[in-house]
């Protein structure tokens, strides 16, 4: 039985608000960041909490979120309270229903917010399994290549997105879609989630694809065949005034987190006069920084990959040893050794220490299973598929 702590308003707060996972290097907590949207100052506070209670390096996930690792078990009440105060536990009951991924397009922010608000407003949707994935993207949004269960596709012109919930959209499920207004799209998508829960027969039915075909056909009444045409994930580097900064191996160090705040620091003598701004953590282990193009050199010095010819644009790895007890292969160390020799124009390669292939990218990729040297990783990139 857990002992409740006290929230700022005096209400009981139970440590069960966060669902930790215990790994070889301690407990792990996955934060709830719908669409990857997070205030940059909040990001640095998360980094500080990670360093105080566990591993100071934050892990970016393939669901566009963050993990704190190496934490004590049970989780300290102070840590839970601090994360709650940052707004990262908007509903303890919905802790596992955290997975909303979205393209890093500011014009989609309103749809992400509306979808998350509808999710949190319905207690029944807290029953969604942790693997259930909701996506929000444009017609050719790269997020549509992710293994989503339900997607909202905004068909408004890019310049018109985010100005209002007027306009057209599609809700897509299992290769079928219905056309709706932008305002209706979040509700229609969540209605699909409710039908999924009603059709779910056991706790191992995690995704729409796990349902029988005849059941899946009834999840979206009036749906007609629809094929998504996602673009490739965006490459690291400037896009006009913005910057997509890749986080090598998805490991965001305290130095990198501090650099994100520094590039947002306005001119002036007051060192604490920081401008809060939202950055977007993408499903491709990168961070979109509005106005960041002018600071690419500073961010590269802090450890980000800021050019499309970086080997980290094609090189990923699972946690490996010593973080994972399933393998003795130091996958991340081998990936770092291989990075100077990997072809950034070649196929993506994912380094893994067992056949679970944790953290693998959704896009086509080669696999380096149980490598013993950096040469094995480089060779895997050039193997025939």
């Amino acid at each position: 039985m857990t002992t409740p702590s006290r929230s700022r308003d005096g209400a009981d707060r139970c440590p069960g608000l966060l669902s930790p996972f215990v790994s070889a290097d301690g407990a792990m907590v996955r934060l709830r960041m719908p669409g990857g949207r997070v205030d940059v100052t909040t990001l640095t506070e998360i980094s500080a909490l990670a360093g105080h209670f566990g591993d100071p390096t934050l892990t970016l996930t393939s669901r566009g979120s963050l993990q704190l690792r190496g934490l004590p078990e049970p989780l300290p009440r102070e840590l839970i309270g601090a994360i709650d105060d940052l707004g990262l536990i908007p509903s303890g009951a919905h802790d596992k229903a955290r997975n909303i991924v979205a393209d890093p397009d500011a014009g989609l922010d309103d749809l992400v917010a509306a979808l998350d608000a509808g999710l949190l407003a319905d207690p029944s949707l807290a029953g969604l399994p942790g693997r259930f994935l909701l996506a929000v993207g444009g017609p050719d949004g790269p997020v549509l290549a992710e293994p989503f269960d339900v997607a909202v596709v905004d068909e408004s012109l890019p310049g018109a997105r985010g100005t209002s919930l007027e306009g057209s959209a599609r809700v897509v499920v299992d290769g079928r879609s219905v056309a709706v207004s932008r305002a209706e799209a979040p509700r229609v998508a969540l209605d699909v989630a409710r039908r999924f829960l009603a059709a779910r027969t056991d706790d191992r039915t995690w995704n729409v694809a796990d349902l029988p075909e005849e059941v899946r056909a009834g999840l979206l009444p009036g749906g007609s065949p629809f094929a998504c045409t996602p673009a490739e994930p965006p490459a690291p580097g400037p896009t006009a005034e913005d910057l997509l900064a890749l986080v090598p191996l998805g490991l965001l160090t305290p130095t990198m987190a501090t650099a994100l705040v520094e590039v947002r620091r306005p001119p002036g003598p007051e060192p604490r006069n920081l401008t809060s701004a939202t950055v977007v953590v993408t499903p491709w282990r990168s961070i979109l920084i509005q106005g960041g193009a002018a600071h690419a050199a500073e961010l590269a010095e802090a450890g980000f990959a800021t050019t499309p010819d970086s080997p980290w644009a094609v090189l990923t790895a699972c946690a490996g040893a010593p973080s994972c007890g399933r393998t003795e292969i130091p996958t991340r160390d081998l990936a770092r050794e291989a990075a100077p020799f990997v072809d950034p124009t070649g196929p993506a390669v994912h380094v893994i220490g067992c056949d679970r292939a944790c953290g693998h990218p959704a896009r086509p990729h080669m696999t380096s299973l149980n490598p013993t040297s950096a040469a094995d990783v480089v060779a895997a990139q050039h193997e025939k598929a």
Side-chain angles (χ1 to χ4, degrees):
M1 181 175 179
T2 55
T3 303
S5 61
R6 306 294 295 182
S7 66
R8 288 175 297 177
D9 60 3
D12 286 342
R13 180 198 291 131
C14 177
L17 282 175
L18 282 178
S19 302
F21 297 81
V22 180
S23 61
D25 61 347
M28 172 187 74
V29 163
R30 294 170 178 163
L31 300 182
R32 194 174 188 284
M33 292 168 33
R37 275 67 174 165
V38 62
D39 187 277
V40 68
T41 53
T42 298
L43 189 60
T44 58
E45 292 185 59
I46 297 169
S47 177
L49 288 172
H52 182 73
F53 289 101
D55 185 341
T57 298
L58 299 173
T59 302
L60 276 65
T61 76
S62 59
R63 297 283 171 106
S65 191
L66 298 171
Q67 293 176 351
L68 282 72
R69 306 183 70 100
L71 302 171
E73 172 64 18
L75 297 178
R77 289 177 295 180
E78 296 82 1
L79 172 63
I80 297 169
I83 292 175
D84 190 16
D85 289 343
L86 290 173
L88 298 171
I89 319 176
S91 166
H94 291 76
D95 174 49
K96 291 186 177 180
R98 66 174 67 83
N99 295 318
I100 300 175
V101 296
D103 287 330
D105 178 346
L108 300 173
D109 290 358
D110 60 338
L111 279 175
V112 172
L115 186 62
D116 189 50
L119 177 69
L120 297 178
D122 186 345
S124 73
L125 293 176
L128 287 172
R131 296 187 187 184
F132 194 89
L133 185 61
L134 298 156
V136 180
D140 60 350
V143 77
L144 299 179
E146 301 300 313
F148 66 82
D149 292 283
V150 187
V152 174
V153 179
D154 188 351
E155 296 188 317
S156 304
L157 293 174
R161 290 178 190 157
T163 57
S164 74
L165 281 174
E166 296 181 0
S168 60
R170 283 188 178 273
V171 174
V172 183
V173 183
D174 194 39
R176 300 175 68 81
S177 78
V178 293
V180 296
S181 69
R182 287 181 94 249
E184 291 180 304
R187 176 189 59 78
V188 174
L190 294 177
D191 281 346
V192 173
R194 295 181 185 97
R195 294 187 191 100
F196 167 81
L197 286 173
R200 195 177 180 220
T201 57
D202 57 66
D203 290 343
R204 296 188 66 82
T205 302
W206 290 312
N207 301 99
V208 165
D210 297 327
L211 296 173
E213 183 176 356
E214 62 274 14
V215 176
R216 299 199 304 268
L219 293 178
L220 190 66
S224 57
F226 181 82
C228 293
T229 55
E232 289 292 318
T239 303
E241 296 180 353
D242 301 337
L243 179 72
L244 191 74
L246 190 66
V247 179
L249 295 175
L251 301 176
L252 187 78
T253 66
T255 298
M256 296 164 80
T258 299
L260 289 173
V261 168
E262 291 297 324
V263 301
R264 287 292 186 179
R265 188 186 298 273
E270 177 54 58
R272 294 186 181 275
N273 184 24
L274 299 181
T275 300
S276 294
T278 298
V279 294
V280 182
V281 177
T282 79
W284 314 292
R285 296 181 173 87
S286 58
I287 298 178
L288 181 70
I289 307 152
Q290 292 184 349
H295 303 280
E298 301 162 56
L299 292 167
E301 185 176 352
F304 291 95
T306 60
T307 59
D309 60 354
S310 169
W312 298 113
V314 296
L315 184 58
T316 55
C318 70
S323 296
C324 177
R326 294 179 61 92
T327 182
E328 297 180 355
I329 305 296
T331 53
R332 288 171 173 166
D333 289 342
L334 290 173
R336 291 186 184 99
E337 292 176 21
F341 309 103
V342 166
D343 180 3
T345 66
V349 59
H350 187 56
V351 186
I352 55 175
C354 76
D355 56 10
R356 290 185 68 180
C358 293
H360 65 83
R363 60 177 168 164
H365 61 277
M366 308 302 293
T367 298
S368 178
L369 174 62
N370 294 330
T372 59
S373 67
D376 291 343
V377 176
V378 176
Q381 189 188 32
H382 301 287
E383 289 178 358
K384 292 184 179 180

